[in-house]
Amino acid sequence: HWNNFFLRFCLRLVKNMKAYPFVLHINCKTFPFQNKVSLKPTAQPVSTCSFDLLSPEELLVFDSLRDVILWPETPSLKSNFSLNDTSDPRQSSFTILPRTGRGNWRVGDQLHVSIRIRDFHGRPKKSGGDVLLARLHNSTFHAGVAGHVVDHRNGSYSAFFSLLWEGRAQVEVVLVHPSEAVTVLQKLTEEQPDRIYFNSLFQSGSVSETTICNVCLTGTQQNFCKYTDLRTGEPWFCFKPHKLDCDARISHAKGGFRQNLQATEEKLFQCGVNMKVSIPALGPENIDVLPNPKGKPQDGKGMTVKARPSGYYYKGAWQALDGTRVHQFNSSTISQCLKGKAVHIYGDSTVRQWYEYLTNSLPDLKEFDLLTSKQSGPLMALDYVNKILVTFRSHGPPIRFASSPVSQLHYVANELDSVIGGTNTVVVIGVWSHFSTFPVEVYIRRLLNIRKAVVRLLSRAPGTTVVIRTANPKEMTLYESLTNSDWFSLQRDKILREIFRKTNVRLVDAWEMILAHHLPHKLHPESDIVKNMIDVLLSFVCPVADF
């Protein structure tokens, strides 16, 4: 798999050499096993994909990220495979292991849960790769924390939880996808990166045509309109219209979805059977947690854990564990916090939801109708008395929204370069959901461009507050799993965190905030969760000590 990325690197170098004005064909089958690569001229058609055009710098970054997104090997599937041989959540089980050193569980301890996956025959699986989510919760206290799952690659898993409140704590483990479903998702990305496609309208006078557009198109180079962004290098392609020029393109819209699965493969994505189904406990599913003895930490900072959570819920309010003191904001205190500030929100609909929350929560924050799309924007709201400005603009393609003028589709990196910044400026970025169906290289390039623009912004205006919203788990249907699966989102979430790890930005951990909550997983979470996200955002902007 990784050899393919080296080949793309070599191909990019050769493509940039004017001495080779022909398309190269690489015989990938010989590469992993022989010391030679077959290069020969080939006739069109060719595939035009942005991940084939990564720069050497981008490929080096991708190479550094491979351990972050490396997934355990999943079973190969024969055309006539049996569902009975795949992971069955109801035949699987989890067991709460005894406390190290025995004795009672106390706040500050770490809970270890062992998970065993079995197939529909009840036989233990011998390989890993299943997608599991785990949380610890207490419905009485409206408390919850996300667990950290470790894959032992032999059909067994461990989930680790930080014990952060006194009283009852109940374990919940969910099978999101069997490992066999991950095999299918990986194949879809490799073989059908264009299964979500887009349309553009071309128009000149009374003549109009619509063609297909995408990051990836297959055909002859002469049949493509190339819309590579001159500043970021972000590529985008449309098929040329028959009668009009490429510069007659006026709109962008989601075109549709090509579902190309075998009937047996579809059975791997069944709600209530093997997709987002709880795994039962073998023995007790809850424990009782006593107060921590004197001298032990109550905030989790001193715990020796496999992976420390970013926070947890208690009495329905998010308690951060990164040192941020989260304040509970109402409409009055939101206005007080944002007084004299500009909040610029860029990205997909999951951060547009934050724009909508603010405009609905602040009675004096009035939307100014720019006569633009309510999905993609740009949108603007102004509180004239308190001098609060809030804006939203969607990221550039790929974006699965209804029709938008191409003149309004701006790349986030370019927008950031136009922000003056300063202590009265807040920038919010949320870019992930619309990149799920494409190879991760497409997403890496986008984030690298955004990261460079963030660094430039913070260099010229270091007082600017930059906040990034992470990906989150969501509801699952067959369509959602093939286009926006939690597995896709998890991979991109890991990439986002790693790319921005050493920058001066703050993260709102939407993944854990939705996983730890008792409300259902949704792409656009319910208002209780959104309020907690806004509270975290505003606590970054207005620390409690200064508020």
Side-chain angles (χ1 to χ4, degrees):
H1 177 64
W2 299 112
N3 289 333
N4 291 337
F5 301 121
F6 176 73
L7 292 178
R8 292 174 189 155
F9 173 78
C10 295
L11 183 58
R12 171 61 185 256
L13 294 180
V14 176
K15 282 182 177 178
N16 287 339
M17 297 171 62
K18 295 182 179 180
Y20 295 86
F22 50 81
V23 178
L24 293 178
H25 172 71
I26 297 181
N27 186 352
C28 298
K29 294 181 180 179
T30 67
F31 183 77
F33 311 107
Q34 302 179 19
N35 294 324
K36 62 180 181 179
V37 179
S38 172
L39 299 179
K40 60 181 181 179
T42 185
Q44 311 279 18
V46 298
S47 174
T48 300
C49 249
S50 76
F51 68 87
D52 282 334
L53 303 174
L54 289 178
S55 69
E57 176 193 1
E58 291 164 340
L59 281 168
L60 288 174
V61 172
F62 183 85
D63 186 63
S64 70
L65 290 170
R66 62 182 179 180
D67 289 336
V68 175
I69 60 174
L70 183 65
W71 195 258
E73 186 176 356
T74 57
S76 58
L77 296 178
K78 298 179 180 179
S79 58
N80 60 343
F81 77 91
S82 171
L83 184 68
N84 290 330
D85 297 328
T86 67
S87 304
D88 178 9
R90 291 188 171 85
Q91 294 280 357
S92 304
S93 62
F94 71 83
T95 304
I96 297 177
L97 299 184
R99 180 180 182 270
T100 302
R102 304 293 173 174
N104 296 316
W105 293 102
R106 295 186 179 275
V107 172
D109 286 341
Q110 177 183 264
L111 179 66
H112 182 189
V113 172
S114 177
I115 306 165
R116 188 65 196 178
I117 302 298
R118 295 177 175 83
D119 64 20
F120 283 82
H121 293 292
R123 299 172 301 195
K125 297 289 291 295
K126 297 181 180 180
S127 61
D130 300 283
V131 185
L132 300 172
L133 297 178
R135 77 176 181 121
L136 195 68
H137 62 101
N138 180 306
S139 57
T140 301
F141 298 147
H142 299 289
V145 65
H148 175 65
V149 177
V150 176
D151 188 341
H152 301 298
R153 308 190 180 202
N154 59 4
S156 67
Y157 301 77
S158 292
F160 297 93
F161 302 92
S162 301
L163 301 184
L164 296 163
W165 63 84
E166 301 172 20
R168 183 62 55 91
Q170 182 172 331
V171 175
E172 181 182 21
V173 180
V174 173
L175 176 71
V176 179
H177 290 305
S179 56
E180 294 81 5
V182 175
T183 300
V184 174
L185 295 177
Q186 290 173 325
K187 186 182 75 168
L188 284 175
T189 300
E190 292 171 3
E191 298 179 0
Q192 302 173 44
D194 59 346
R195 60 190 181 278
I196 290 282
Y197 61 93
F198 306 84
N199 291 333
S200 271
L201 175 66
F202 294 76
Q203 187 170 339
S204 178
S206 61
V207 179
S208 64
E209 296 181 63
T210 299
T211 73
I212 292 177
C213 307
N214 219 323
V215 179
C216 307
L217 290 178
T218 300
T220 60
Q221 294 282 1
Q222 292 77 14
N223 289 339
F224 296 148
C225 289
K226 184 178 180 180
Y227 299 105
T228 300
D229 182 69
L230 296 179
R231 293 168 65 182
T232 64
E234 293 280 0
W236 190 252
F237 306 96
C238 295
F239 284 116
K240 283 183 180 178
H242 296 294
K243 301 177 181 178
L244 298 173
D245 294 331
C246 290
D247 58 8
R249 177 172 173 250
I250 64 171
S251 70
H252 166 92
K254 177 185 173 182
F257 168 65
R258 302 182 184 96
Q259 182 174 313
N260 187 14
L261 280 187
Q262 300 175 13
T264 51
E265 291 175 332
E266 283 193 25
K267 293 179 180 179
L268 294 169
F269 303 93
Q270 298 182 73
C271 295
V273 177
N274 53 13
M275 186 167 64
K276 282 265 172 130
V277 179
S278 294
I279 292 175
L282 186 62
E285 62 181 11
N286 52 62
I287 61 171
D288 291 311
V289 184
L290 300 180
N292 64 311
K294 185 177 180 180
K296 282 202 172 182
Q298 297 187 38
D299 60 1
K301 289 184 180 179
M303 294 184 294
T304 302
V305 296
K306 294 290 184 181
R308 206 162 142 261
S310 64
Y312 65 102
Y313 288 104
Y314 189 73
K315 295 184 178 179
W318 184 253
Q319 314 291 323
L321 292 175
D322 64 354
T324 301
R325 195 171 163 201
V326 181
H327 185 66
Q328 307 304 306
F329 289 82
N330 55 35
S331 59
S332 174
T333 52
I334 292 175
S335 294
Q336 187 179 347
C337 172
L338 295 182
K339 188 173 183 178
K341 291 182 172 63
V343 181
H344 300 297
I345 304 174
Y346 305 102
D348 55 37
S349 59
T350 63
V351 284
R352 189 187 67 221
Q353 192 177 23
W354 292 9
Y355 171 89
E356 293 164 351
Y357 181 92
L358 291 174
T359 56
N360 291 332
S361 299
L362 302 181
D364 295 326
L365 186 63
K366 305 297 184 182
E367 282 198 86
F368 188 85
D369 190 358
L370 299 175
L371 303 178
T372 56
S373 165
K374 296 302 181 183
Q375 283 190 309
S376 58
L379 306 176
M380 183 175 73
L382 179 66
D383 178 344
Y384 182 77
V385 173
N386 291 301
K387 295 182 171 56
I388 300 171
L389 173 67
V390 182
T391 67
F392 167 78
R393 182 185 284 275
S394 71
H395 62 73
I399 191 84
R400 299 193 298 264
F401 287 161
S403 182
S404 301
V406 294
S407 61
Q408 297 298 339
L409 291 180
H410 296 186
Y411 290 97
V412 173
N414 293 340
E415 288 296 299
L416 293 177
D417 283 339
S418 67
V419 174
I420 297 174
T423 55
N424 291 327
T425 302
V426 181
V427 170
V428 175
I429 302 168
V431 177
W432 60 277
S433 180
H434 296 254
F435 290 81
S436 296
T437 57
F438 301 102
V440 292
E441 298 96 318
V442 177
Y443 188 54
I444 288 171
R445 159 181 276 154
R446 185 62 53 91
L447 291 189
L448 287 177
N449 277 320
I450 294 173
R451 185 187 189 279
K452 291 174 184 176
V454 167
V455 171
R456 290 192 294 267
L457 170 60
L458 293 176
S459 294
R460 66 178 180 271
T464 308
T465 300
V466 180
V467 179
I468 297 179
R469 184 199 191 278
T470 73
N472 62 262
K474 63 193 74 65
E475 65 273 56
M476 285 292 193
T477 62
L478 175 61
Y479 171 79
E480 286 293 335
S481 62
L482 299 182
T483 60
N484 232 5
S485 162
D486 284 353
W487 183 75
F488 290 136
S489 301
L490 179 60
Q491 298 294 87
R492 281 139 192 83
D493 187 60
K494 292 177 180 179
I495 290 170
L496 181 146
R497 293 170 191 265
E498 185 63 21
I499 285 179
F500 285 96
R501 183 167 55 89
K502 294 183 179 181
T503 58
N504 189 25
V505 303
R506 307 299 299 269
L507 291 184
V508 174
D509 197 333
W511 188 274
E512 289 196 15
M513 294 184 76
I514 289 180
L515 178 56
H517 206 278
H518 66 87
L519 288 171
H521 299 173
K522 290 186 176 181
L523 176 63
H524 303 110
E526 296 187 26
S527 59
D528 285 355
I529 299 176
V530 177
K531 182 194 182 304
N532 275 286
M533 292 179 178
I534 296 296
D535 287 341
V536 175
L537 166 67
L538 296 176
S539 296
F540 294 151
V541 178
C542 303
V544 174
D546 302 330
F547 182 57

